[in-house]
Amino acid sequence: MRWVGPAALVVALLVPLAPAGGYQQYVVQVATFVLINAAVALAWDIQARTGQLSLASAAFFGLGAYAYTMAALRGVPLPVAFLLGPLVAGAVSLGLGVVTLRLQGLYFAIATLAFAEVVKVVFKELPLDLTGGAVGLTAPPLLGGHQTGLYYLGLGVLLLVVAASLAVRHTRLHYAFTAIRQGELTARVLGVRVVRTKLLAFVMSAALTGMVGAYATSRLFFVIPEDTFGIGLSVTALATAIFGGVYTTAGPVLGAIILRILEEGLRLVLREGYLAVYGVILMLVILYLPGGLVSLWNRRSRDAAGGG
């Protein structure tokens, strides 16, 4: 099954060339949002591998988006402004992680949720000439706003997050993350520096999410506190990763592809109430496939190996 990854990459590269006629722009737009959702969900999954349930994805996404926009509007070259997104999100997450990562379970989740809400309120209340207040700011587009170019940039962003995930998966970090998830006391006995390792996962995840935020705002052309820092983004990242399969690289990406296409299909068929059907399908998969969609793939591979 090693051909799946390269085949998926080829399909992704060909999306802007798909013979979709008058729907070409719509197809590229949907595919772009798949890339964004997949990158945020996979970045969330990286820190989740230590067993921590963070609900701060929206905060880091928004910080990346605002860092890019505010710098670009003040004359900073766009590529440099883009790099500020992950740097600012990573720096803030370092401070937050030092304070909160000693908390466990629900206490950590609530702390990160509260942080995201505080950041949203702060950006709404800051002076208008700084953040645009509740109205937000208009973001300068990268690549002159060229849709196809921005799509390929989004694909590059997702590939960077995939590369980070694979780097974790194929190094000793994977064993350290897994040991912490299965029990911090056991991890300490094995020689894992628990707080430092959790902080590394947290900062890595936040920086990657901030990079996605910077990219997304250059694609959407605006930032608004209520949307950019919206808790819905954190919940979507979590649900997408669980739907596809947590603690894997393929799971969050597969989840983003299926969920986005499902949402768009239901929207076309059921203009009213499509979100209810979408929610029921999401709930059923999570209930009956705790390992996510990739568990079906893994099960089939084991059956094939057993049959051989």
Side-chain angles (χ1 to χ4, degrees):
M1 303 295 276
R2 293 182 177 178
W3 55 268
V4 173
L9 178 58
V10 171
V11 171
L13 288 170
L14 293 176
V15 164
L17 306 176
Y23 294 97
Q24 183 63 28
Q25 189 173 354
Y26 170 72
V27 170
V28 173
Q29 179 177 316
V30 171
T32 302
F33 282 109
V34 168
L35 299 176
I36 293 171
N37 291 351
V40 173
L42 185 53
W44 176 86
D45 186 81
I46 289 174
Q47 66 79 34
R49 295 173 196 177
T50 62
Q52 296 287 67
L53 179 63
S54 171
L55 293 174
S57 293
F60 300 130
F61 182 91
L63 286 170
Y66 266 92
Y68 165 77
T69 304
M70 292 167 67
L73 290 176
R74 283 159 179 78
V76 175
L78 296 186
V80 178
F82 180 76
L83 292 177
L84 286 175
L87 289 176
V88 169
V92 172
S93 72
L94 181 61
L96 178 66
V98 168
V99 175
T100 62
L101 278 171
R102 295 182 188 278
L103 300 175
Q104 301 283 339
L106 287 177
Y107 296 101
F108 176 75
I110 291 171
T112 53
L113 175 63
F115 171 75
E117 288 299 305
V118 167
V119 172
K120 180 171 71 176
V121 171
V122 167
F123 272 75
K124 286 171 71 175
E125 298 300 327
L126 283 172
L128 290 178
D129 59 351
L130 187 62
T131 64
V135 178
L137 298 168
T138 300
L142 286 164
L143 306 178
H146 189 273
Q147 296 297 300
T148 302
L150 284 171
Y151 169 80
Y152 284 120
L153 179 61
L155 181 59
V157 167
L158 174 59
L159 290 176
L160 276 176
V161 182
V162 168
S165 173
L166 292 174
V168 169
R169 184 76 184 177
H170 295 289
T171 62
R172 295 176 64 181
L173 278 176
H174 171 66
Y175 301 104
F177 286 8
T178 304
I180 293 172
R181 187 172 74 245
Q182 293 179 346
E184 293 191 8
L185 183 58
T186 305
R188 286 194 175 92
V189 171
L190 294 172
V192 177
R193 306 185 76 166
V194 173
V195 175
R196 181 178 295 186
T197 305
K198 287 197 297 186
L199 188 59
L200 173 63
F202 192 60
V203 172
M204 184 186 299
S205 171
L208 292 170
T209 306
M211 177 179 65
V212 183
Y215 163 72
T217 196
S218 76
R219 171 64 179 76
L220 297 171
F221 312 137
F222 65 87
V223 285
I224 300 175
E226 202 63 43
D227 292 342
T228 309
F229 292 106
I231 184 62
L233 186 138
S234 298
V235 175
T236 299
L238 184 152
T240 300
I242 294 175
F243 181 84
V246 288
Y247 315 141
T248 66
T249 299
V253 177
L254 180 63
I257 295 170
I258 300 294
L259 285 178
R260 191 70 200 191
I261 292 175
L262 179 64
E263 182 180 352
E264 292 297 327
L266 288 173
R267 194 201 306 271
L268 292 174
V269 177
L270 303 171
R271 291 188 182 279
E272 300 292 337
Y274 74 92
L275 281 176
V277 178
Y278 175 86
V280 169
I281 294 172
L282 180 62
M283 186 174 64
L284 289 174
V285 171
I286 291 174
L287 279 175
Y288 292 102
L289 278 177
L293 294 177
V294 292
S295 65
L296 292 174
W297 181 349
N298 295 336
R299 190 183 305 167
R300 184 177 176 183
S301 298
R302 284 196 300 271
D303 291 345

